[in-house]
């Protein structure tokens, strides 16, 4: 029996990884094709405007642009399988280009998700235990409003209020000698700009998921017994709501990484957003694909983890 359950879990994980990996490969192929159809190419974009046709042709051969896009993609994908991201259009190893910016973006995303979990669980839990009251109405209406605000709107508003009016926080990020933000204070506004919308999204999900558990007999019994609200929330409501909450947080990872480009640009944050913008400007398909591969791998890992959490929670429901 134990061996059967263990084999079932292994097959589940393998199936999830296979499906998510296949989707990522398709996304990477579409990325190469999207860069291919853009006007001009990496050879022209990385040379001076005065470059002669002969120099452009030589540069195209050097970058392998004389080969079909399918051949270039398969060659790059083969290197990716061994951990080799290749070289950028400017001749730099892509790992050197994306290493520190990727760590910076991961830090930004991790702080964003930590704050999102803290506020969403708190607000959603407080709201659902006081249905119909003023606090519940305020939480629901406020979370709905901030959910509609794009990250760049929130970022600009934060700059105006905290940097220009109050002079409390820096409006731009200055990189230190290690390539990261020079001061932790410089993380506050970018993190807030990414967090606000996610709090709205996840508060709605948390409240809805917890509300679905309220009619359960064991929850009703706990309420009738007069147990403290925090105990009802943590012991009786939250376990059954975990699958839905995990799915919402997994979705937030993709939303956060999607909003990173705008937020990092506004705050001059040294992350993957700046790398992606520069790669697209240079029509650098391998570098664009590397950014997609790294961020896509993070999203894939989180989605698989969320799938496993949901499967575990459903399997352990009473």
């Amino acid at each position: 029996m134990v061996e059967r359950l263990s084999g079932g879990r292994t097959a589940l994980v393998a199936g999830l990884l296979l499906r998510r990996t296949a989707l990522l490969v398709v996304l990477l192929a579409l990325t190469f094709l999207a860069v291919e159809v853009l006007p001009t190419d990496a050879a022209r974009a990385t040379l001076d405007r005065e470059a002669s046709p002969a120099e452009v042709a030589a540069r195209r051969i050097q970058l392998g642009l004389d080969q079909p896009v399918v051949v270039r993609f398969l060659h790059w994908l083969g290197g990716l399988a061994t951990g080799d991201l290749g070289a950028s259009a400017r001749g730099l190893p892509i790992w050197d280009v994306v290493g520190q910016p990727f760590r910076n973006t991961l830090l930004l995303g991790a702080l964003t998700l930590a704050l999102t979990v803290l506020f969403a669980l708190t607000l959603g839990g407080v709201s659902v235990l006081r249905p119909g009251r003023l606090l519940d109405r305020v939480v629901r209406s406020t979370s709905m409003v901030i959910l509609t605000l794009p990250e760049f709107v929130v970022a600009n508003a934060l700059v105006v209020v905290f940097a220009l009016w109050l002079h409390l926080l820096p409006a731009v990020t200055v990189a230190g000698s290690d390539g990261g933000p020079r001061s932790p204070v410089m993380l506050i506004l970018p993190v807030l700009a990414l967090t606000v919308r996610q709090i709205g999204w996840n508060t709605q999900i948390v409240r809805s998921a917890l509300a679905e558990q309220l009619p359960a007999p064991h929850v009703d019994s706990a309420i009738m017994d007069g147990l403290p609200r925090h105990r009802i929330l943590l012991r009786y409501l939250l376990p059954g709501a975990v699958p839905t909450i995990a799915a919402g947080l997994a979705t937030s990872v993709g939303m956060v990484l999607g909003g990173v480009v705008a937020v990092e640009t506004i705050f001059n944050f040294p992350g993957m957003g700046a790398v992606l913008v520069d790669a697209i400007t240079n029509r650098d398909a391998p570098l664009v694909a590397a950014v997609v591969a790294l961020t896509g791998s993070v999203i894939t890992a989180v989605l698989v983890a969320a799938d496993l959490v949901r499967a575990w929670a459903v399997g352990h429901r009473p």
Side-chain angles (χ1 to χ4, degrees):
M1 177 65 72
V2 174
E3 292 180 356
R4 184 182 304 173
L5 290 175
S6 177
R9 292 193 186 98
T10 302
L12 174 63
V13 174
L16 291 173
L17 286 174
L18 184 60
R19 288 196 297 271
R20 301 295 186 187
T21 302
L23 289 174
L24 182 57
V25 171
V26 171
L27 179 59
L28 291 173
L30 292 175
T31 299
F32 257 77
L33 291 175
V35 176
E36 183 73 12
V37 301
L38 291 175
T40 190
D41 59 17
R44 174 62 69 181
T46 55
L47 287 174
D48 295 333
R49 294 183 179 180
E50 295 78 15
S52 66
E55 290 174 324
V56 174
R59 182 67 170 167
R60 285 181 56 81
I61 295 174
Q62 180 184 8
L63 296 176
L65 298 178
D66 56 323
Q67 299 178 359
V69 63
V70 174
V71 174
R72 284 185 277 127
F73 171 68
L74 292 177
H75 176 74
W76 180 85
L77 191 64
L80 178 64
T82 63
D84 181 14
L85 295 178
S88 70
R90 296 191 179 278
L92 299 174
I94 289 180
W95 272 120
D96 293 346
V97 176
V98 302
Q100 186 59 49
F102 185 52
R103 289 190 287 271
N104 293 342
T105 295
L106 285 181
L107 174 61
L108 204 61
L111 293 174
T112 296
L113 290 177
L115 285 178
T116 297
V117 170
L118 175 63
F119 280 96
L121 289 178
T122 301
L123 294 174
V126 170
S127 175
V128 80
L129 293 176
R130 295 170 174 81
R133 297 185 183 181
L134 177 61
L135 181 59
D136 179 36
R137 295 197 300 270
V138 170
V139 169
R140 284 190 292 171
S141 58
T142 302
S143 62
M144 185 63 69
V145 170
I146 63 177
L147 174 58
T148 64
L149 298 176
E151 287 85 358
F152 72 89
V153 172
V154 178
N156 282 301
L158 291 173
V159 168
V160 171
V161 174
F162 291 100
L164 300 182
W165 289 355
L166 301 178
H167 303 286
L168 293 176
L169 296 169
V172 297
T173 307
V174 179
S177 58
D178 61 349
R182 182 178 296 177
S183 169
V185 176
M186 296 176 180
L187 287 165
I188 296 177
L189 289 185
V191 168
L192 288 178
L194 288 170
T195 303
V196 167
R197 189 182 183 195
Q198 300 311 314
I199 290 176
W201 164 260
N202 284 279
T203 297
Q204 292 282 336
I205 291 176
V206 169
R207 193 198 179 284
S208 297
L210 294 174
E212 290 179 357
Q213 303 302 312
L214 280 175
H218 67 286
V219 176
D220 188 58
S221 176
I223 295 175
M224 295 296 293
D225 289 341
L227 295 180
R229 287 173 176 167
H230 71 276
R231 186 176 177 185
I232 295 173
L233 174 64
L234 296 177
R235 185 171 180 178
Y236 295 93
L237 291 177
L238 189 57
V242 163
T244 303
I245 295 174
L249 289 173
T251 304
S252 286
V253 174
M255 296 170 67
V256 168
L257 293 177
V260 153
V261 175
V263 170
E264 290 185 349
T265 301
I266 291 172
F267 293 104
N268 192 38
F269 190 84
M272 294 292 274
V275 174
L276 181 61
V277 171
D278 186 62
I280 294 175
T281 301
N282 291 329
R283 307 299 189 261
D284 194 341
L287 184 53
V288 174
V291 173
V292 173
L294 291 174
T295 55
S297 296
V298 173
I299 295 173
T300 297
V302 173
L303 288 174
V304 170
D307 290 336
L308 293 176
V309 168
R310 290 200 298 273
W312 175 86
V314 170
H316 285 75
R317 281 180 176 173

